[in-house]
Amino acid sequence: MSKPGQRVNRAELADLFGVSLPTVDAWVRDGCPFAEKGAKGREWAFATADVHRWLVDRAVADVAAGYEGEIGVITADEAKRRKAVADAVVAEIKADEALNEVVNRHEAAADVAGFCISLRTGLSNAVAKIAGRAAAMTGAPEIQALAETEINRAFDAARDELVKGWGTAVGDEPRA
């Protein structure tokens, strides 16, 4: 294996940088420097230090491209302006949360999860009650009434679980 700063052929370059020969070919198409262009009976030659420098410059350019705006690279003033805007947005969100104008996503997710668990439990209990009592019932209307009662009970329990978290019921004012 060659050392950086040496002149190498295409296969040695691929080995040195731990890439495939097609990758080296792609680098050449993308502008990788070479010391000698290959041809029939003549191998490509690369100066490893030049290739290394080109790869580093390309990586830096790729990273910098993520920070470019319409007019080019972001200046320190532009970065400060963007930070100030982000800080202002965060402050507005915190103020809205304090005034109960926005909902905290994590709290809402936890409350909805509690609602779903309560509903699933209530519906499972309803199915068990209906199954246990339906055999003794005489007609479909009686079974339907029982089913509606038990399902409504499950939904009411789930609603009550949600009201615990949000502090409101239908028609109530939001919690303060």
Side-chain angles (χ1 to χ4, degrees), residues 71-153:
I71 58 172
V73 177
I74 293 176
T75 64
D77 288 340
E78 175 64 9
K80 287 178 187 174
R81 185 194 70 77
R82 289 183 184 191
K83 184 179 182 325
V85 168
D87 289 344
V89 168
V90 169
E92 284 185 41
I93 291 171
K94 286 182 181 178
D96 286 343
E97 284 176 341
L99 297 170
N100 289 320
E101 296 291 323
V102 296
V103 175
N104 180 293
R105 182 176 71 89
H106 298 293
E107 290 176 12
D111 291 340
V112 169
F115 170 84
C116 291
I117 290 168
S118 179
L119 183 59
R120 180 177 51 215
T121 301
L123 291 174
S124 293
N125 291 340
V127 168
K129 286 181 184 178
I130 294 167
R133 295 182 189 168
M137 295 185 166
T138 57
E142 190 178 6
I143 295 170
Q144 181 177 350
L146 173 63
E148 287 174 357
T149 299
E150 292 304 321
I151 289 171
N152 286 336
R153 184 175 306 178

Side-chain angles (χ1 to χ4, degrees), residues 15-71:
D15 185 50
L16 180 67
F17 286 97
V19 298
S20 66
L21 290 175
T23 298
V24 172
D25 296 339
W27 288 353
V28 170
R29 285 190 302 274
D30 290 344
C32 178
F34 53 87
E36 190 175 323
K37 186 174 182 175
K40 286 187 178 183
R42 192 173 73 225
E43 290 194 42
W44 285 84
F46 297 90
T48 57
D50 292 343
V51 173
H52 181 262
R53 189 175 312 110
W54 178 78
L55 288 170
V56 169
D57 290 346
R58 194 169 78 154
V60 169
D62 287 347
V63 170
Y67 294 102
E68 290 181 3
E70 293 175 12
I71 58 172

